[in-house]
Amino acid sequence: MQSTIRFQANERIVGWGGCNRYSANFRSGSKFFEVGPIASTRRTCPPVVMEQEQRFFAALQKASSIRMEGANLVIDSEATEKPLKFGRLKEP
């Protein structure tokens, strides 16, 4: 499963990490993006999925900036060589 992120009006993000649902507070400004501690459910999935989810959570925790590139949301992180990229999901 792909990881998702949804921004809520109260400076919270929620989403799917690939195995578990998560939430966290965030702060952002013109030159920064910071994610607070991540809370998640504690479901167990295959090891490869759990590893991907942990890398995703680590990247969010070390996020440094956020921007739009065309239709994609891009989050730069000190934990990854390449930025995280998100496309818009269609609402059901």
Side-chain angles (χ1 to χ4, degrees), residues 2 7 28 36-37 39 46 48-49 51 58 68 70 77-81 88:
Q2 291 214 339
F7 290 82
S28 64
V48 68
V49 176
E51 289 170 19
M68 292 299 296
S77 173
E78 297 171 8
T80 59
E81 287 183 31
R88 184 176 298 268

Side-chain angles (χ1 to χ4, degrees), residues 2 4-5 9 13 16 18 33 54 59 67-68 73 80-81 89:
Q2 291 214 339
T4 65
I5 189 168
I13 54 173
W16 177 255
F33 179 69
Q54 289 306 308
R67 65 187 180 282
M68 292 299 296
L73 174 73
T80 59
E81 287 183 31
L89 294 176

Side-chain angles (χ1 to χ4, degrees), residues 8-60:
Q8 297 183 319
N10 58 351
E11 294 192 332
R12 288 198 54 81
I13 54 173
V14 298
W16 177 255
C19 180
N20 291 283
R21 296 194 178 283
Y22 72 92
S23 65
N25 292 325
F26 74 90
R27 290 182 347 115
S28 64
S30 62
K31 300 208 184 246
F32 74 94
F33 179 69
E34 298 172 344
V35 174
I38 295 173
S40 71
T41 55
R42 301 209 181 270
R43 203 172 145 211
T44 302
C45 291
V48 68
V49 176
M50 297 298 293
E51 289 170 19
Q52 179 274 329
E53 182 175 82
Q54 289 306 308
R55 284 193 308 271
F56 173 65
F57 289 163
L60 279 180

